[in-house]
Amino acid sequence: MAILSTLQPLHHPLFNKYNVQVQIKRDDIIHPIISGNKWRKLKYNLQHIKNTPEFNGVLSFGGSYSNHIHALAFACFEQKIPCVGIIRGEVKYANNFTLSWAKYWGMKLHFVDRKTYRRRHDSDYLAELQQQFPQYFIVPEGGSNKLAIAGVSEIITELIQQTQFDTLITPVGSGGTLAGLIAGDQLNNTTHKILGIAVLKNAEYLAHEIKCLLPRLAKTPNNWQLLTQFHRGGYAKFSPHDATRILEFSKITGVDFEPVYSGKMILAFLDLLAEGYFIDGERIVLLHTGGMQGLGGMIERGLLNTEDWPMPARVAKKDS
């Protein structure tokens, strides 16, 4: 199996202090637009759509600054698959950093209020959407479904070829990435400690969601844990102090992060180090799940500044 992303050693004075070996799986540089866990999750979803004659498009869900919506729009553009985004929020957001590119790449945006958006898992609402878009394959918010699990599980297969490690740490939003890593460990008959850092508040429910996504053979592993205390105030929330700590870590290690997903994983990791969570000599891999396009929206809204944070790369629409 080909290796899609590099594994890079990380160096930081704290790693010497606590005697841990740290590497980072650079899924953020798989692709300039469809990076990280979004590339992994969409891989088999889009293959399924292209290989199933009754489907001629894809529909999915996301917020106004969604990494998933952004990645899906470009992936569908590249593969010439019509796509629809059900967007939580008002039409005024259509021209923001994320959605303007989604539109540019051909995604049709349908805005719904929060009450309607909360129905995104309800069978009756999904049936309504299926009637409105009868030949569209529906992908859940964040891309987390059974097809996504197969794509994410390949990270473990790659890591086994690249290194020996004890612990793998990943940020967690919808739960699909953590479920895929757990499944990958089971499929490879390995037992690594897998830690998920929940990036949203009150995320205990995700443990159930993760178990539901696991294939039957991986229903009962006990080598994983979802840590829910490191959300920093809630989804997409972070303090100036949090941002400063992330930037300092980036400057020392030479790897850029954003403060919604990968940055919260880094802060949690540093806190766990200080708590003495890891054993002496523990070999740790951090999974960089991408999401760097989100910096564009935060810079646009004045939450971050371009002096400290890198503006995401752009790939313009190709001539048809």
Side-chain angles (χ1 to χ4, degrees):
M1 176 183 170
I3 293 175
L4 291 177
S5 66
T6 59
L7 185 68
Q8 176 180 331
L10 284 185
H11 303 287
H12 192 288
L14 288 174
F15 304 162
N16 296 328
K17 177 180 178 180
Y18 293 104
N19 192 27
V20 292
Q21 301 175 38
V22 184
Q23 300 178 87
I24 186 164
K25 180 73 165 159
R26 296 296 305 274
D27 267 20
D28 58 308
I29 54 176
I30 287 177
H31 186 281
I33 300 299
I34 321 162
S35 69
N37 60 348
K38 302 311 175 191
W39 198 101
R40 304 277 188 179
K41 290 179 178 182
L42 290 174
K43 176 182 176 181
Y44 291 115
N45 272 287
L46 296 186
Q47 281 187 21
H48 176 65
I49 293 164
K50 295 190 78 171
N51 294 336
T52 308
E54 59 262 36
F55 294 129
N56 62 15
V58 59
L59 177 149
S60 196
F61 308 84
S64 300
Y65 295 92
S66 166
N67 291 327
H68 168 64
I69 288 295
H70 183 267
L72 177 64
F74 190 81
C76 288
F77 161 70
E78 279 203 318
Q79 299 196 32
K80 297 180 172 57
I81 299 173
C83 60
V84 171
I86 305 299
I87 309 299
R88 182 190 69 245
E90 302 172 8
V91 177
K92 67 180 182 181
Y93 293 111
N95 294 319
N96 73 18
F97 183 88
T98 299
L99 297 183
S100 62
W101 281 103
K103 286 192 303 178
Y104 187 67
W105 294 321
M107 176 177 276
K108 305 299 181 184
L109 304 179
H110 289 254
F111 290 86
V112 297
D113 58 31
R114 290 182 177 274
K115 182 179 179 180
T116 302
Y117 193 81
R118 282 195 290 269
R119 299 177 61 205
R120 64 193 179 279
H121 303 300
D122 296 349
S123 57
D124 57 342
Y125 180 54
L126 295 176
E128 291 174 18
L129 289 173
Q130 202 71 82
Q131 284 189 330
Q132 188 176 357
F133 304 97
Q135 291 183 293
Y136 277 57
F137 181 69
I138 298 178
V139 174
E141 179 185 46
S144 294
N145 59 10
K146 300 292 185 182
L147 292 167
I149 300 309
V152 175
S153 71
E154 293 175 350
I155 293 171
I156 298 292
T157 307
E158 291 179 28
L159 281 172
I160 291 170
Q161 296 178 61
Q162 292 174 307
T163 192
Q164 293 183 334
F165 66 101
D166 303 304
T167 301
L168 176 61
I169 307 177
T170 182
V172 176
S174 58
T177 299
L178 183 54
L181 297 174
I182 297 165
D185 215 39
Q186 293 287 302
L187 288 167
N188 283 281
N189 295 312
T190 51
T191 306
H192 300 99
K193 187 187 338 179
I194 302 175
L195 296 180
I197 307 300
V199 302
L200 59 156
K201 201 172 183 178
N202 301 320
E204 289 76 13
Y205 74 95
L206 283 174
H208 174 73
E209 300 291 327
I210 291 160
K211 290 176 182 177
C212 289
L213 285 168
L214 290 173
R216 185 173 301 173
L217 63 84
K219 284 293 182 185
T220 57
N222 57 8
N223 62 317
W224 65 277
Q225 189 176 5
L226 177 68
L227 303 180
T228 60
Q229 69 268 41
F230 298 108
H231 53 77
R232 311 287 161 181
Y235 181 71
K237 293 184 178 180
F238 55 91
S239 69
H241 179 63
D242 292 335
T244 298
R245 289 179 69 200
I246 295 167
L247 286 172
E248 288 175 349
F249 188 85
S250 292
K251 289 175 183 176
I252 292 171
T253 60
V255 180
D256 290 324
F257 302 92
E258 45 70 50
V260 177
Y261 291 97
S262 58
K264 287 190 178 180
M265 172 188 68
I266 293 303
L267 295 179
F269 174 52
L270 294 176
D271 290 347
L272 290 169
L273 274 177
E275 293 171 11
Y277 181 89
F278 303 102
I279 65 172
D280 193 52
E282 191 157 344
R283 299 165 299 180
I284 300 163
V285 173
L286 306 174
L287 177 61
H288 197 318
T289 55
M292 299 300 287
Q293 78 83 25
L295 290 173
M298 286 180 275
I299 291 170
E300 177 184 71
R301 288 175 285 168
L303 301 176
L304 301 173
N305 63 72
T306 54
E307 294 178 3
D308 295 322
W309 300 86
M311 197 67 177
R314 299 290 81 203
V315 176
K317 190 173 181 179
K318 300 172 185 175
D319 295 330
S320 55

